Amino acid sequence: MCGIVGAVASRNVTGILIEGLKRLEYRGYDSAGVAVITENGELAVRKAVGKVKGLTDKLEASPAIGHTGIAHTRWATHGKPTELNAHPHTSGNIAVVHNGIIENHEALRTELKAAGYTFVSETDTEVVAHLVHQLVSGGASLKDAVTRAVAKFDGAYALAVVDLNRPDELLACRSGSPLVLGLGIEENFVASDQMALRQVTDRFVFLQEGDLVHLQGKTVEIFDQAGAKVERKVDQLTDKAEVADKGEYRHYMLKEIFEQPAVLTRTLQGRISKTRVLEESFGAEASKIFDKTEGVQIIACGTSYHAGLVAKYWLESIAGIPCQVEVASEYRYRKVFVPKNTLFVTISQSGETADTLAALKEAQKSDYLASLVICNAPNSSLVRESDLVFMTQAGPEIGVASTKAFTTQLVALQMLTIALGRRQGLTEATEANMVQALASLPEQITKALALDSEIKATSEKFADKRHALFLGRGVEYPVAMEGALKLKEISYIHAESYPAGELKHGPLALVDADMPIVAVAPNNELMEKLKSNLEEVQARGGKLFVFSDQASAFPSSDDVTVIDVHSVPDSIAPMVYTIPLQLLSYHVAIVKGTDVDQPRNLAKSVTVE
């Protein structure tokens, strides 16, 4: 889940590496470092704990100027965030940066210690540096040394390696972790994400599983898992994907919340007519596969998991087919029964979520009908591995707490529900109504965003709170789950969610004047049930914050803060009611003074188990 950048050029690469790291901080920001082969023939290594700014300060005090270098921003997996544990790791003339986990590092460490190597860090990555050094010292070329080293690894990795004695070379490879090659004019680059290199090139090769690349300034050689030299497709990105720029907003998260009307417009464009979902949006073979689909298995993590839980309500109540939703890290480690003609659906913002990708690989060994991924990254591993693909078109999401990715996932899942439902008796009239509601969604989201100032004022009431409960019923329960996740992620308030009907079964014991209760309360068939549940909270002195449809006339009082949400069709209520919960979490985090875009201990793309 770390970020890698590497460069070989005829100009100084240090600035390129640092800019790339800044664009990759969403992947981790516990520490950062660079290794540059300088013009003076030295391997200059600079590291700093914390964000890239700390590394920049070190480089200003002690510059490193050269034409070949690698850099890294870390999310700690082995060892605390310290300079010793920060990448790059070195062994003599070798420097290495790594994303992923070498699972057999302890056994390799023991072997290398016996061979005389001394370890200074707690990381799994240091074994890579020592092993490559050992092989190079034995006479292997850098390419052969890296090839032979990775053959010993169990786990997932993306690596970039430089050798002081080969100042115009860079070796990089991937297995289970993303890596992209950037092509310039007499200069070449590697990175974990093409966004890190958009300032220097628009031509990319998305390396495949097992690929190894040998970079020099004027040449690029790619070798596949079997060691054969191969050609890979070069993609020229002409869309100039949105630059990672906050614009007028204080934080990326707020910008991304307010981008949702435009993003949802883009997600829907070309995928719905006035009355129908165009199921070809899911792939050329989608219609044939959907014709056979009798059930759905959804696998996801975090926010994407909550999207899957919403979809379960839709698929079973609207499409009339069974749906199971499971956390990827649990699914991959249990014996699974696969019902006949079940569609396997993965959901991931990055397309590189390690547990979800591993679950897909396990599923490919089973008797699933086919696999579908709902994803925001067009060249990611999940996209390449799946039979059907729905790209959400959310654009770069920099804030660690997901916002626009979630709402676009919900749109994709509702479109899937409609496509499958029309085969199970969903009428043309009902489909037309749902499609028209989807078409109105950007406008409905814009109206919900108008609640921002009211929610900002309400957030002050959370200033001294340490715990919160979120309640919902039916399809709004997963929305409440997502609201609780957002609050805990960025404000560090301990927040939990419950189906409102579960209050009597334990959570009521927690209710007092210091426990805010947030309720998601659209005016649907469960409104009266929900009102009864909330009365139980009031009777015990709880402070209620209710997001409710204007038409429900939910009464305000000293202990009940009601924020009126405009009336919306039931089918899109989960998307609309998500918006005020996102705004609440954002403004509470501001009140609490936390780092909104980069909350502690979290990273954007979870590419390790």
Side-chain angles (χ1 to χ4, degrees):
M1 131 155 32
C2 311
I4 289 172
V5 189
V8 182
S10 58
R11 53 175 164 160
N12 179 30
V13 299
T14 306
I16 296 169
L17 298 175
I18 292 298
E19 178 60 27
L21 290 186
K22 289 177 180 177
R23 295 171 180 232
L24 289 177
E25 276 196 307
Y26 73 94
R27 298 181 68 89
Y29 38 83
D30 287 336
S31 59
V34 297
V36 177
I37 299 175
T38 70
E39 296 171 334
N40 298 327
E42 298 177 352
L43 184 62
V45 178
R46 308 285 186 267
K47 303 181 184 183
V49 174
K51 298 181 183 179
V52 175
K53 176 63 168 60
L55 178 61
T56 302
D57 292 342
K58 284 208 167 183
L59 285 165
E60 288 178 358
S62 178
I65 299 171
H67 304 303
T68 300
I70 53 178
H72 189 269
T73 181
R74 181 173 184 248
W75 187 79
T77 57
H78 292 80
K80 296 178 180 179
T82 65
E83 283 195 23
L84 285 177
N85 288 332
H87 299 218
H89 288 286
T90 60
S91 181
N93 50 295
I94 300 295
V96 174
V97 291
H98 168 220
N99 176 27
I101 291 177
I102 307 300
E103 293 184 355
N104 60 333
H105 70 97
E106 289 289 359
L108 294 171
R109 183 184 290 255
T110 300
E111 292 177 11
L112 288 162
K113 282 183 175 179
Y117 283 92
T118 300
F119 285 77
V120 298
S121 79
E122 305 167 273
T123 70
D124 55 337
T125 304
E126 195 175 358
V127 303
V128 181
H130 290 320
L131 187 54
V132 172
H133 179 268
Q134 183 184 54
L135 293 166
V136 167
S137 299
S141 68
L142 186 60
K143 172 186 171 294
D144 288 343
V146 173
T147 301
R148 288 164 60 187
V150 300
K152 293 176 174 285
F153 299 156
D154 294 330
Y157 56 81
L159 296 171
V161 185
V162 294
D163 181 350
L164 177 61
N165 296 329
R166 298 166 175 84
D168 61 345
E169 295 183 44
L170 189 154
L171 266 290
C173 57
R174 63 152 297 188
S175 178
S177 291
L179 200 65
V180 61
L181 168 64
L183 305 176
I185 299 173
E186 298 191 357
E187 56 185 18
N188 294 296
F189 315 92
V190 292
S192 299
D193 185 326
Q194 69 269 22
M195 184 174 15
L197 303 174
R198 289 303 296 267
Q199 79 276 19
V200 288
T201 185
D202 60 0
R203 297 170 60 234
F204 296 96
V205 175
F206 295 91
L207 296 176
Q208 295 185 17
E209 185 76 356
D211 279 357
L212 179 145
V213 59
H214 180 209
L215 295 185
Q216 293 181 290
K218 296 182 180 180
T219 62
V220 172
E221 294 179 303
I222 303 174
F223 302 87
D224 67 13
Q225 203 157 12
K229 190 173 179 180
V230 293
E231 298 291 330
R232 297 293 188 214
K233 177 187 174 186
V234 177
D235 289 304
Q236 184 155 11
L237 304 186
T238 57
D239 60 348
K240 298 298 180 187
E242 296 98 319
V243 178
D245 184 353
K246 292 192 286 284
E248 65 185 38
Y249 296 96
R250 183 175 174 183
H251 294 96
Y252 285 112
M253 182 182 178
L254 189 61
K255 173 178 180 275
E256 288 155 8
I257 290 171
F258 275 84
E259 282 178 344
Q260 286 173 105
V263 165
L264 291 166
T265 297
R266 190 163 63 225
T267 300
L268 290 165
Q269 281 177 340
R271 290 165 164 171
I272 57 174
S273 68
K274 291 183 178 180
T275 59
R276 285 179 61 80
V277 164
L278 306 179
E279 60 190 42
E280 295 81 3
S281 305
F282 292 89
E285 299 297 312
S287 293
K288 293 179 182 178
I289 291 171
F290 292 168
D291 283 345
K292 299 176 182 177
T293 299
E294 297 177 18
V296 174
Q297 171 71 67
I298 295 176
I299 296 295
C301 302
T303 286
S304 298
Y305 172 69
H306 296 156
L309 291 175
V310 173
K312 176 179 173 67
Y313 283 90
W314 287 338
L315 285 162
E316 295 190 344
S317 64
I318 297 171
I321 61 175
C323 175
Q324 298 297 318
V325 186
E326 194 159 353
V327 173
S329 57
E330 291 296 315
Y331 174 88
R332 63 183 289 198
Y333 289 117
R334 72 173 182 86
K335 189 173 181 180
V336 176
F337 171 75
V338 181
K340 181 181 177 183
N341 290 331
T342 298
L343 178 65
F344 189 85
V345 178
T346 58
I347 312 171
S348 171
Q349 189 280 138
S350 68
E352 302 291 351
T353 309
D355 286 317
T356 307
L357 184 57
L360 173 60
K361 290 179 179 178
E362 286 298 314
Q364 289 169 338
K365 302 173 188 176
S366 302
D367 295 325
Y368 285 101
L369 175 64
S371 59
L372 161 68
V373 63
I374 294 170
C375 186
N376 188 39
N379 294 286
S380 60
S381 298
L382 279 168
V383 167
R384 293 197 299 271
E385 294 285 338
S386 298
D387 300 313
L388 302 177
V389 175
F390 187 100
M391 300 308 307
T392 58
Q393 306 290 344
E397 189 178 66
I398 307 302
V400 165
S402 183
T403 52
K404 60 181 179 173
F406 179 65
T407 48
T408 55
Q409 288 169 355
L410 290 179
V411 167
L413 289 162
Q414 188 162 116
M415 291 176 62
L416 174 65
T417 298
I418 294 169
L420 295 175
R422 64 167 66 127
R423 292 163 168 82
Q424 306 295 331
L426 185 71
T427 67
E428 291 183 2
T430 300
E431 177 173 352
N433 288 336
M434 293 183 68
V435 167
Q436 288 160 12
L438 282 172
S440 75
L441 190 53
E443 179 185 357
Q444 305 283 12
I445 297 294
T446 299
K447 291 180 180 178
L449 289 168
L451 297 169
D452 184 51
S453 59
E454 184 178 355
I455 293 171
K456 181 179 180 181
T458 300
S459 69
E460 298 288 342
K461 299 178 181 180
F462 286 73
D464 62 344
K465 305 305 181 189
R466 298 181 60 189
H467 307 277
L469 287 178
F470 282 68
L471 303 177
R473 294 205 71 144
V475 73
E476 302 302 336
Y477 169 49
V479 174
M481 294 175 71
E482 176 62 12
L485 176 62
K486 285 292 152 288
L487 191 68
K488 73 176 73 169
E489 280 182 316
I490 62 170
S491 75
Y492 312 150
I493 291 176
H494 172 238
E496 299 297 338
S497 56
Y498 285 90
E502 278 290 289
L503 277 170
K504 300 184 188 72
H505 300 280
L508 271 179
L510 299 173
V511 172
D512 59 22
D514 290 324
M515 173 73 80
I517 314 294
V518 179
V520 184
N523 191 26
N524 57 26
E525 73 278 5
L526 292 173
M527 170 55 79
E528 293 307 316
K529 295 284 188 184
L530 181 59
K531 282 184 177 180
S532 296
N533 300 142
L534 298 184
E535 285 171 3
E536 296 170 350
V537 172
Q538 286 181 270
R540 287 154 180 85
K543 304 291 185 182
L544 280 169
F545 297 85
V546 183
F547 294 91
S548 181
D549 190 317
Q550 293 169 332
S552 67
F554 207 100
S556 295
S557 69
D558 291 341
D559 294 329
V560 181
T561 299
V562 178
I563 296 177
D564 288 328
V565 181
H566 63 286
S567 296
V568 298
D570 286 349
S571 61
I572 60 170
M575 295 80 132
V576 175
Y577 276 79
T578 292
I579 304 304
L581 298 184
Q582 292 174 350
L583 290 169
L584 178 66
S585 65
Y586 173 79
H587 288 298
V588 171
I590 296 297
V591 170
K592 290 282 191 178
T594 63
D595 190 337
V596 171
D597 286 331
Q598 297 176 339
R600 67 190 183 200
N601 303 332
L602 300 178
K604 182 64 177 175
S605 180
V606 184
T607 58
V608 296
E609 183 178 353

